[in-house]
Amino acid sequence: MVMREKKSNTQTLYELVDYLPDFCKGYLIVRANDRGIATRIGYARNLKTFFEYVLKNVRAFQGKNVKDIQATDMDRLTVEDIDLFIGYYSENHEKPTIARMKSSISSMYNYLANTLRAISYNPVLGVQRVDVPKKDYVVYLNLQEQEQLLNTIIYGTGLTEREKSLHKRYVKRDLAMVFLLLDTGLRAAELQGADNRDVDLSECSIIVTRKGGSINKVFFSDEAAEYLRDYMLEKEQSLPMFNGPADPLIISEKGTRLTVRQYENIVPKYVNAALPERYGTINCHKLRSSFAMEFYMRDPKYGGHDILALQNRMNHKRLETTNIYAKAANNVSKETRNWRQTTDK
């Protein structure tokens, strides 16, 4: 049996762009490079769905292939055409997904109208609004659950026999990786892009490229430094050829940089063993949410309930995004207001 090599995110994006109209290359590769590659892949997939619908359902485009569509052709689509597509798409998708689809199409039209000047206006501006319900809760791991997860990584408790047989090889790497995500609120893609030279153990910091392209120094705790030190020392001893300054920080046994998909596979494995009831709900991004919730809910005398500090740590551009955690924390407080009644006497 021949094993096919997994595609990188960059390969996936370029394959999608090659399928789309030529003007999408400038939009998705050049103009949107301030967005994460996963976001651009999402845009590309949404546009693929949109164009395939248009070719089947809009008379002016019938008989064409996706590649035949020119930038100036997009002026032939009306507000009604896009409204009908959104209605069609809404039949099988939830509102957040519909809103992302609409945003993908609107961003493309903005590029065509404002950058290429190939069309006269953005018709998506006239499309019916998609109201996405605002959540007042956040899925996260509390400190006790975080400890259970970390203990499973350390000791292998609950892993299958096959997983246990591989556990010793990866325990220091996985512990450093998961603890750092919980300790800093970094996105998996931000940690995934870090190299050895980006870590300064003496000042407990790591330099990462943030979502959006900015480069920041992020500080971590002494405990995170110990786990990172253990992992980096083990890597230096067992894989010295992959431990140069410019080599990736978190690597596979072959010395290759772990992909974001691999990060997303590692976390659920340990969640399933440590907290089977949370399996399917906790992933890498929920580790980021776990950091945010516990950071905000700390005792105020230790810096808790500081929304601006949390905004800075999460690298949110808008305070509104950070406020999700403040509102969720307030709900947690409401839920536990009768804590004394459940305390053992």
Side-chain angles (χ1 to χ4, degrees):
M1 179 177 171
V2 178
M3 296 293 288
R4 288 187 299 176
E5 190 174 334
K6 286 184 179 177
K7 294 178 189 175
S8 68
N9 284 341
T10 302
Q11 286 176 304
T12 299
L13 177 61
Y14 273 80
E15 285 180 10
L16 285 164
V17 167
D18 284 342
Y19 175 82
L20 295 171
D22 287 340
F23 60 79
C24 289
K25 183 175 290 185
Y27 166 51
L28 291 167
I29 303 297
V30 181
R31 299 296 296 186
N33 64 2
D34 61 334
R35 295 179 172 90
I37 193 163
T39 300
R40 287 186 279 164
I41 288 171
Y43 280 9
R45 286 175 174 152
N46 284 343
L47 292 177
K48 179 176 182 288
T49 300
F50 173 64
F51 285 124
E52 288 174 349
Y53 168 90
V54 166
L55 294 179
K56 288 181 181 177
N57 296 280
V58 179
R59 182 174 297 175
F61 288 81
Q62 287 175 3
K64 289 179 178 281
N65 293 316
V66 171
K67 266 297 183 190
D68 296 333
I69 300 174
Q70 303 297 309
T72 51
D73 290 334
M74 300 308 294
D75 237 351
R76 303 168 77 179
L77 286 172
T78 65
V79 172
E80 183 181 14
D81 289 327
I82 299 172
D83 251 333
L84 287 170
F85 167 71
I86 295 297
Y88 156 80
Y89 190 74
S90 300
E91 291 178 7
N92 297 304
H93 296 89
E94 299 294 328
K95 285 191 174 181
T97 307
I98 300 164
R100 284 193 291 272
M101 171 61 81
K102 183 183 172 186
S103 176
S104 300
I105 300 168
S106 185
S107 294
M108 176 197 66
Y109 267 107
N110 283 336
Y111 170 71
L112 293 173
N114 302 324
T115 302
L116 292 188
R117 308 277 181 176
I119 60 174
S120 55
Y121 78 113
N122 178 357
V124 183
L125 297 176
V127 170
Q128 187 173 355
R129 181 175 172 174
V130 180
D131 290 317
V132 180
K134 292 185 178 179
K135 294 180 180 178
D136 57 2
Y137 67 92
V138 170
V139 177
Y140 75 104
L141 297 178
N142 61 34
L143 287 177
Q144 182 178 345
E145 291 170 323
Q146 291 180 33
E147 284 301 316
Q148 286 179 251
L149 178 63
L150 294 168
N151 281 335
T152 288
I153 299 174
I154 294 169
Y155 302 112
T157 311
L159 295 176
T160 65
E161 290 305 314
R162 183 178 180 281
E163 289 168 342
K164 283 180 182 177
S165 68
L166 301 171
H167 181 245
K168 285 187 178 180
R169 294 188 209 172
Y170 306 120
V171 59
K172 290 186 178 181
R173 181 199 69 184
D174 293 354
L175 182 60
M177 181 190 89
V178 171
F179 193 90
L180 201 57
L181 294 175
L182 286 169
D183 193 57
T184 61
L186 285 173
R187 298 174 178 88
E190 293 169 343
L191 179 57
Q192 186 258 354
D195 297 330
N196 293 323
R197 62 188 169 194
D198 296 322
V199 176
D200 185 335
L201 291 172
S202 63
E203 73 166 2
C204 296
S205 70
I206 182 169
I207 296 171
V208 296
T209 301
R210 292 289 203 172
K211 179 181 179 181
S214 63
I215 298 174
N216 293 159
K217 181 182 285 189
V218 175
F219 292 91
F220 47 78
S221 67
D222 293 340
E223 189 174 359
E226 287 301 314
Y227 294 140
L228 264 175
R229 184 177 287 108
D230 287 348
Y231 166 58
M232 295 177 79
L233 179 61
E234 178 185 70
K235 189 170 61 164
E236 183 180 3
Q237 293 171 344
S238 59
L239 297 166
M241 69 292 289
F242 301 120
N243 208 44
D247 288 323
L249 174 63
I250 308 293
I251 62 174
S252 70
E253 255 193 334
K254 297 178 180 178
T256 57
R257 188 187 302 274
L258 288 191
T259 65
V260 173
R261 184 182 293 273
Q262 286 173 309
Y263 277 64
E264 292 289 0
N265 288 336
I266 289 169
V267 171
K269 175 183 75 173
Y270 290 116
V271 170
N272 189 40
L275 303 156
E277 70 282 2
R278 306 302 303 276
Y279 182 71
T281 65
I282 300 297
N283 52 31
C284 281
H285 198 72
K286 299 308 178 189
L287 300 189
R288 177 171 161 82
S289 300
S290 301
F291 160 80
M293 289 293 289
E294 291 298 341
F295 183 88
Y296 183 79
M297 290 195 297
R298 291 173 303 160
D299 190 312
K301 68 182 179 182
Y302 298 116
H305 293 78
D306 185 338
I307 194 68
L308 294 179
L310 179 58
Q311 181 187 17
N312 179 262
R313 292 293 296 263
M314 297 293 281
N315 193 44
H316 287 154
K317 289 184 172 63
R318 297 185 305 159
L319 188 60
E320 181 183 355
T321 307
T322 316
N323 270 329
I324 293 170
Y325 300 104
K327 290 177 182 177
N330 290 337
N331 284 341
V332 170
S333 297
K334 289 177 186 175
E335 291 167 8
T336 58
R337 65 187 180 83
N338 288 321
W339 63 273
R340 192 178 298 277
Q341 295 176 16
T342 58
T343 303
D344 291 335
K345 294 183 179 179

